[in-house]
Amino acid sequence: MSAVLAFKPVPRTIYMSKAEAPSGARKFEVTCSSCNLRELCLPGALAAEDMARAENLVYARRRVKRGEALFQAGAEFNAVYAIRSGFFKTGLVDGEGREQVTGFFMGGELIGMDGIGTGTYHGSAIALEDSEVCILPYTLIEEMAREVPALQRHLHAVLAREIVRDHGVMMLLGSMRAEERLATFLINLSKRFVRRGYSASDFHLRMTREEIGSYLGLKLETVSRLFSKFQDEELIEVEQKHVRILDIAGLERVLAGK
Amino acid sequence: MSAVLAFKPVPRTIYMSKAEAPSGARKFEVTCSSCNLRELCLPGALAAEDMARAENLVYARRRVKRGEALFQAGAEFNAVYAIRSGFFKTGLVDGEGREQVTGFFMGGELIGMDGIGTGTYHGSAIALEDSEVCILPYTLIEEMAREVPALQRHLHAVLAREIVRDHGVMMLLGSMRAEERLATFLINLSKRFVRRGYSASDFHLRMTREEIGSYLGLKLETVSRLFSKFQDEELIEVEQKHVRILDIAGLERVLAGK
DNA sequence: CGACCTTTTGAACGTATTCAACCGATGTGG
DNA sequence: CCACATCGGTTGAATACGTTCAAAAGGTCG
């Protein structure tokens, strides 16, 4: 359908991990314990001793330029990725060509878990800005999860958290009206930015109206109209991709059905 | 909102596992290796020697009567359940009282994984007919996953499969029209019944139109109308909860946008 | 600077919802 | 065991919400 979402396989240069992370440099660069996203990430929430071992999970890093795929649906699965910086969307295309954005992901969040079990990624992940990810090879994760119970537990928690997140999206898509969906989306983004030390009320949308629409089960025109409406109601200020939330309580009131 | 979906906490008798499975009897009764759902279940797909160990995963069984909750949202998490017989719906209620059915589950399928990580179940599971489940205590799963790599891998696969399933539902809710949703639903049910040795074309719906509607993001009247429409088009025959698929290819054509 | 992509807004339209009435099935208590 | 109440399902008519089609303006990038 639309090439805009770009979830379909396209020929592109694959950034080899080796290129970014020469074996010599790696050990010094890759230190989860000093990463400021440590609290949010997979190796996070581990005791100091475990953390030291968990650092070996990160095989290397990889840079992904805006518009590029970190992985494509159907590609061979062998690693999960932790976002170190940047912003991604994940999504899939079905047999009839329908596209669906399944999520937006930022620093400290893990993507690629949909590949576990089948050996191929089920969906695609595309960078919405120049990004960098830590590569966590699945065989390493498996191994270490056996040896470090805290990591095992944490891994399960991360997988379960994704399931819970998905159920939230189902609620959004299945039971909310358009306004409620967009309000939920903005509140959710705001919360996630805050946890990362950014402003709760003032941020830059990395995705297009079409991508927001796909995620929320709406058309891009509807998303645009709703932004204008929220602006008229003085809940937010929008100028292109820049959003400023003026009245969080007001947005929450939208959720409560006015 | 509606008491119909019954996802809200209600006082009810909890069936104690001990009552169903006196410690003496248990060992003889609970044998995954002879269970006919073994292929689909968690201990499934393990080599004979691993299977013997994995059987210890099943702490006990529990019967759940139609209409009863296997677990409620917010209840303390300590086990995952494998459905041995019967039929369940899972769902949740948000802060505003919106209800969303997140899935329907049948023999051999696992539910309750949304409780991993947080210590409490995120959603509820309610039996749509008298059912029996195997109780897999999470601490046991953790332990054995460390010792039996095949089980570890299988567990991850089950969790990932749930994520993939959820993404499919997002696609359904976000990108499909009402007819396409119902056709997808029927085709999916049909496939799952076949794998369990039931007819692909002739089955009994355990859920109400309202529950189907909630799952598909539609109102019950719309679901009812669509059933009638499909019947008029000679794709199916419906009489109350009994469905007979007359033209699977026709249903698949509905998905393809006619 | 020019081509293309993204966003906005209007007007007409269509799909699914809402409200309402009715029927049949199911289950309970007298 | 039947009567009656309740629940689940169907269908019609009016309505509403979000979509579609269209045009134009504003950004962005090579």
Side-chain angles (χ1 to χ4, degrees):
Chain A
M1 210 100 288
S2 75
V4 180
L5 297 182
F7 282 131
K8 288 165 197 172
V10 288
R12 59 178 73 259
T13 314
I14 300 294
Y15 273 60
M16 292 308 299
S17 44
K18 296 265 170 80
E20 267 92 40
S23 53
R26 190 172 72 76
K27 272 206 169 159
F28 302 100
E29 278 185 31
V30 177
T31 51
C32 295
S33 45
S34 69
C35 176
N36 57 357
L37 294 168
R38 132 180 53 89
E39 313 271 301
L40 304 164
C41 199
L42 182 60
L46 298 182
E49 71 224 87
D50 290 339
M51 177 74 87
R53 305 194 59 192
E55 297 207 348
N56 296 316
L57 270 181
V58 178
Y59 169 71
R61 298 228 194 99
R62 178 173 152 194
R63 286 178 189 284
V64 188
K65 290 224 204 79
R66 180 181 153 177
E68 274 187 4
L70 174 57
F71 54 81
Q72 289 278 9
E76 193 191 344
F77 167 80
N78 33 44
V80 158
Y81 300 93
I83 301 172
R84 212 180 125 72
S85 68
F87 208 94
F88 287 83
K89 67 169 176 181
T90 58
L92 43 99
V93 183
D94 77 1
E96 264 67 54
R98 273 179 287 253
E99 296 187 3
Q100 177 68 33
V101 169
T102 52
F104 297 109
F105 297 88
M106 52 182 85
E109 295 175 335
L110 260 63
I111 51 182
M113 297 172 300
D114 62 351
I116 298 175
T118 61
T120 51
Y121 291 104
H122 178 247
S124 306
I126 289 164
L128 296 181
E129 62 184 30
D130 292 358
S131 304
E132 192 175 14
V133 297
C134 296
I135 303 175
L136 314 179
Y138 178 60
T139 51
L140 274 186
I141 296 179
E142 269 187 329
E143 226 179 281
M144 300 214 34
R146 265 179 253 131
E147 295 165 14
V148 184
L151 179 68
Q152 179 196 31
R153 185 166 283 233
H154 200 54
L155 169 65
H156 294 174
V158 166
L159 288 163
R161 195 192 302 148
E162 175 66 15
I163 292 173
V164 168
R165 188 192 72 83
D166 291 346
H167 288 180
V169 178
M170 284 188 211
M171 169 71 80
L172 182 144
L173 291 170
S175 307
M176 291 188 189
R177 309 171 1 126
E179 287 183 29
E180 297 167 345
R181 296 184 201 184
L182 189 65
T184 303
F185 174 72
L186 290 172
I187 292 168
N188 174 275
L189 271 188
S190 168
K191 284 186 183 156
R192 285 154 73 200
F193 281 129
V194 170
R195 287 204 58 177
R196 284 158 185 81
Y198 300 110
S199 167
S201 59
D202 203 304
F203 48 82
H204 179 81
L205 298 174
R206 275 78 171 177
M207 68 296 279
T208 66
R209 302 288 189 262
E210 181 171 16
E211 287 160 341
I212 297 173
S214 173
Y215 179 63
L216 299 179
L218 303 170
K219 294 295 159 189
L220 70 96
E221 294 95 331
T222 306
V223 174
S224 179
R225 273 183 245 276
L226 288 173
F227 271 126
S228 302
K229 181 159 185 280
F230 284 175
Q231 179 154 254
D232 290 348
E233 294 168 348
E234 297 183 336
L235 297 172
I236 62 172
E237 252 174 43
V238 212
E239 197 186 343
Q240 297 295 122
K241 295 222 152 91
H242 179 232
V243 172
R244 174 190 283 262
I245 297 179
L246 303 175
D247 183 2
I248 270 269
L251 280 179
E252 272 154 4
R253 237 174 290 125
V254 171
L255 293 195
K258 272 266 149 46
Chain B
M1 208 102 288
S2 75
V4 180
L5 297 183
F7 282 133
K8 287 165 195 168
V10 287
R12 61 178 71 258
T13 314
I14 300 295
Y15 274 59
M16 291 309 299
S17 44
K18 296 264 171 78
E20 267 91 41
S23 52
R26 190 172 72 74
K27 274 204 167 160
F28 302 100
E29 278 185 31
V30 178
T31 51
C32 294
S33 44
S34 69
C35 177
N36 57 357
L37 294 168
R38 131 181 53 89
E39 313 272 300
L40 304 163
C41 199
L42 182 60
L46 298 182
E49 72 225 87
D50 289 340
M51 177 73 88
R53 306 194 58 191
E55 297 208 350
N56 296 317
L57 270 180
V58 179
Y59 169 71
R61 300 228 194 98
R62 178 174 152 195
R63 287 177 189 285
V64 189
K65 289 223 205 81
R66 181 182 153 178
E68 274 187 3
L70 174 58
F71 53 82
Q72 288 280 6
E76 191 192 345
F77 168 80
N78 34 44
V80 159
Y81 300 92
I83 302 172
R84 213 180 124 72
S85 68
F87 208 94
F88 287 83
K89 67 170 176 180
T90 59
L92 43 100
V93 182
D94 78 359
E96 264 66 55
R98 273 179 286 253
E99 296 188 3
Q100 177 67 34
V101 169
T102 52
F104 297 108
F105 297 88
M106 53 181 84
E109 295 174 336
L110 259 62
I111 52 183
M113 297 171 300
D114 63 351
I116 299 174
T118 59
T120 52
Y121 292 104
H122 178 248
S124 307
I126 289 165
L128 295 181
E129 61 183 31
D130 291 357
S131 303
E132 193 175 13
V133 297
C134 296
I135 302 174
L136 315 178
Y138 178 61
T139 50
L140 274 185
I141 296 179
E142 269 186 329
E143 227 180 279
M144 300 214 36
R146 265 179 251 131
E147 296 166 14
V148 184
L151 179 68
Q152 179 196 32
R153 184 164 283 232
H154 199 53
L155 170 66
H156 294 174
V158 167
L159 288 162
R161 194 191 305 150
E162 175 67 15
I163 292 172
V164 168
R165 187 192 73 83
D166 291 347
H167 288 180
V169 178
M170 284 187 210
M171 169 71 80
L172 180 144
L173 291 170
S175 305
M176 292 187 190
R177 316 194 1 214
E179 285 182 31
E180 297 167 345
R181 296 184 201 183
L182 188 64
T184 302
F185 173 71
L186 289 173
I187 291 168
N188 174 276
L189 271 189
S190 168
K191 284 186 183 155
R192 286 155 74 201
F193 281 130
V194 170
R195 287 203 57 179
R196 284 159 184 80
Y198 301 111
S199 167
S201 58
D202 203 304
F203 47 82
H204 179 81
L205 297 173
R206 275 78 172 178
M207 68 296 279
T208 65
R209 303 287 189 263
E210 182 172 15
E211 287 161 341
I212 296 173
S214 173
Y215 179 63
L216 299 178
L218 303 170
K219 293 297 161 190
L220 69 97
E221 295 94 329
T222 306
V223 173
S224 180
R225 273 184 244 277
L226 289 172
F227 271 125
S228 302
K229 182 158 184 283
F230 285 175
Q231 179 153 253
D232 290 348
E233 293 167 350
E234 297 184 337
L235 297 173
I236 62 173
E237 252 175 42
V238 211
E239 195 187 346
Q240 297 294 123
K241 295 222 153 93
H242 179 234
V243 172
R244 174 189 284 261
I245 297 179
L246 303 174
D247 183 2
I248 269 270
L251 281 179
E252 271 154 6
R253 235 174 290 124
V254 171
L255 292 194
K258 272 266 146 44

